[in-house]
Amino acid sequence: MPKMKTNSGAKKRFSFTGTGKIKRKHAYKSHILTKKATKRKRALTKAALVNKTDLSKTRLLLAVGK
């Protein structure tokens, strides 16, 4: 059986923590920033973890075993 390829888009968007959890960036931080509050923009800068409901799909894209 051939190895599964890593999805190139997912490879650029996700990274792993030391404990194996998957980190992601927040959306809505690229444009139309004038109407967004400074506090909100600052919160969007910080990394977040992938939700457990999307974890299996994300792992599949990254070609990582469970």
Side-chain angles (χ1 to χ4, degrees):
M1 193 73 189
K3 289 183 180 178
M4 217 174 113
K5 286 192 176 179
T6 300
N7 181 290
S8 295
K11 182 168 50 175
K12 296 164 193 170
R13 286 169 173 82
F14 300 103
S15 61
F16 290 92
T17 63
T19 55
K21 293 174 185 165
I22 303 173
K23 284 195 300 186
R24 65 171 177 86
K25 287 187 176 181
H26 279 103
Y28 310 111
K29 186 72 175 31
S30 57
H31 62 99
I32 316 172
L33 298 171
T34 50
K35 63 172 84 170
K36 291 170 191 158
T38 311
K39 184 178 179 181
R40 182 176 164 194
K41 288 185 278 190
R42 205 166 42 244
L44 292 172
T45 303
K46 296 179 178 123
L49 295 174
V50 172
N51 195 287
K52 66 176 182 179
T53 54
D54 301 317
L55 206 55
S56 59
K57 286 181 269 185
T58 310
R59 283 188 180 280
L60 198 65
L61 290 170
L62 295 168
V64 176
K66 289 195 176 189

